Amino acid sequence: MKGKKILILVAIVIAIFLGLFLMKNNYKFSKKGNNISNKSADEIEKYILNMDSYSAVVQVTIKSNKNQNIYKLKQQYLKKENIYKQEAIEPQNIAGVQFLYNNGELKIENTKLKLSKIYTDYKYIESNELSLNSFIEDYIESENSKCYEKDGKVILETEIKNNNKYILYKKLYINKAQGNIEKMEIEDETQNDRIYILYNEIEINKLKKEEILAFSLKTFEEDI
C-alpha cells in the first residue's frame, strides 16, 4: 500500500511539472507569434516598412513574352548590418547557387561546384527586385505609394522609379486575419504581371547575423 501511494505521488508530481512545462512553452509560443494579425491597415503598413529582418522561402514565377520560368528561393535580410542573402533551391540545375551582399561586398557562390566570386564596393543591392527590402525601398521613395484593404487583404502598392518598362508597379498582399505576407506582384507598364512571388514561409524580425553568414565561412579561390 505504501509503495502504491509513493507511485501515485510521483505520478502527480510528474503531471504537475509536465503541466507547468506545457504552459511555459505555450506562453513562449504566444509571445513569438505574429505581431500584426488583426491589426489595422496603417499598423500593418508601419510594421512592414520598419522591418528589421526577414527570412523567407519563396516561389518566383517570371513571365516573358514567350514563356515563364518558376524558381524556389530562400531569402534572408538584416537591415542594421545591411546584409542580404539569396539561395536557389529549385530548379535542380541551379540549386545551391547563392549570393550574399554584405555591406558593400557581393559574393556569388556555387556550393555544389565549390566556386565563388567576390565583388567589392558593390552598391546595387536595391536592384534585386525579388527582395522584400527592395519593395520597402521603392515604397518609401515613391510619391505614388498607397495602402488599402480589399477582400480581407491589406495591400501595399507602389510605382517604381526606373527605366524598365517591364518592372513598373509592385503590390504586396498581407492576410489581415493571419498577419502573414502572402504574395508580391510585379507588373509592367500595362499592369500585366511579369513577376509573381508567393511566400510559402516567412519570418519577420527573428533572423540572427550568424544564421545568414553561416555559408560564407569558407571562400573558394576559383571564379564562377
Side-chain angles (χ1 to χ4, degrees), residues 146-163:
K146 57 184 177 180
C147 175
Y148 56 95
E149 292 185 40
K150 183 178 180 181
D151 300 329
K153 316 291 183 186
V154 174
I155 303 172
L156 276 60
E157 183 177 328
T158 189
E159 185 176 343
I160 307 166
K161 295 180 179 179
N162 61 31
N163 296 318

Side-chain angles (χ1 to χ4, degrees), residues 37 88 150 222:
S37 56
K150 183 178 180 181
E222 298 91 341

